[in-house]
Amino acid sequence: MVVKDMELDWQVCSRARLSRDARFDGKFFIAVLTGRRVYCRSICPAPTAKEKNVRYYPTAAAAAEAGFRPCLRCRPECSPGTPAWLGTPSTVSRALRLIAESGLADGGIEVLAERLGVGSRHLRRLFLQHLGATPSAVAQTRRLDFAKKLIDETRLPMSEVALASDFGCVRRFNAAIRAVYHRTPTQIRRLSRQTGIPLENEYFFRLRFRPPYNWNGMVRFLAPRATPGVEAVESASYRRTISLNGSYGWLEVSLNKSNDGLDVRVQFGDPRSLFLIIERIRAMFDLNADWAAIAQGLAADPVLAMRMQANPGLRVPGCWNGFELAIRTILGQQVTVKGATTLAGRLARTLGQPFSAPGGLTHIFPPPDVLADANLDGLGLTKARSETIRALARAACDGRIGFEGVASSEDFMARMCEIPGIGKWTAQYVAMRALGEPDAFPSGDLGLLRALALESPGELERRAEAWRPWRSYASMYLWTSCETDLQVSADSPEAA
Ligand SMILES: [Zn+2]
């Protein structure tokens, strides 16, 4: 694993700032010492300040901690986010995932450090070194960013915005917004020019990425794997049913017309879950990826260089729910992608909760407690595979395997492989898509071997050493060039 400090290169930042380069959006922030003392994205349309009057910060939290306020024009809270894994140790990226999923609400930095298995002072030091800000500053900035997004992009009542963005009470929320923006939440909403009247419990968001973003590649990957009744993919949109904390809903994601972000439509009854829903969508569509760094890292391999040139901006598709992906992957062992999709649809129809949403969505994917002792006869699965599904569901129920990114990917893969019927390939593939691990790599994959005309997993592993820490992205490039059916699991139930 390449570990390097998140030190900003002043010349790179300066060039990106002067040319308003969108590829650097969210990779650093520009603080302006004169005037209103704001911090901006690299793409801010405001007139550029003199170099001597600006400072560069690796994260919005670092700029905020240094006393700068978010610019109201370029809206730093809308930037694609910090590419957490860019040279940071996995403890930092895992911590960021946890903060993204649940904030620091339940217990603060001590609890966060404990869950990660490190000391809180060590965690604080790592954060300062790599992100330029403490864990609590990062959590506070995320809370404020999300509150601002809800104020600008939804019509939620302010009391609901306060709860949804984790402020606990309206008074704390009002005070925090006023301190940062020097305006009340209501004044900010008045400036936001929302159009159209959304339906009840319906929300629209725009999520940015750093271009290029290969939307077609994403859709081509997701479409043949979409579980009938639970997911629906068309060329312009991805749609699925969702379940969180006992509530059901659905979401729809499409490429924005101006090609700089994804448009998201969420229908969900409990606004307190919006934060988590949005973070999951960001992970699912790999919006934090730093294409420039990935392209640079993989360009030395001539096969990859050629494919990247033909198809720039490919991302690693994540998943809505790691457990669901793991089940889908087990169903795919030794059958074609199409065959696995049929099985997944049957499983959802038989054991999922009926839920009707537009465009042919009919079911919620069955959760672990339903599958733990489910009767899977009649679905067309072998006895061994049915037992693997139940065993994984039981492990998820009693907490032996968690999918929310607390475990390091090595721990996660080791625990997955303890389940009879789950081999290395399945564990690596799920880690790659469920944990957002940029360097996960299914080395025994037949499609990868064929794409490079190699004979053995050993040869593939040696070739892949040069792709670190981006082996997940390399895999995507090699898979997309072969027919989808070539991506067949190398695991057999006997192999584990
Ligand atoms: Zn700005």
Side-chain angles (χ1 to χ4, degrees), residues 30 32 36 38-46 70-76:
I30 305 150
V32 185
R36 295 171 301 127
V38 295
Y39 65 92
C40 288
R41 296 155 72 180
S42 66
I43 57 161
C44 186
C71 171
L72 285 170
R73 265 188 91 173
C74 62
R75 301 177 56 199

Side-chain angles (χ1 to χ4, degrees), residues 173-202:
F173 161 71
N174 279 334
I177 293 288
R178 282 191 85 129
V180 170
Y181 289 100
H182 293 198
R183 285 176 168 84
T184 65
T186 316
Q187 286 169 330
I188 293 176
R189 181 164 280 169
R190 232 176 266 139
L191 294 173
S192 71
R193 293 188 214 97
Q194 289 182 33
T195 51
I197 310 252
L199 300 169
E200 198 184 355
N201 297 332
E202 185 165 80

Side-chain angles (χ1 to χ4, degrees), residues 157-169:
M158 294 305 173
S159 55
E160 300 271 345
V161 174
L163 286 178
S165 48
D166 239 0
F167 277 97
C169 70

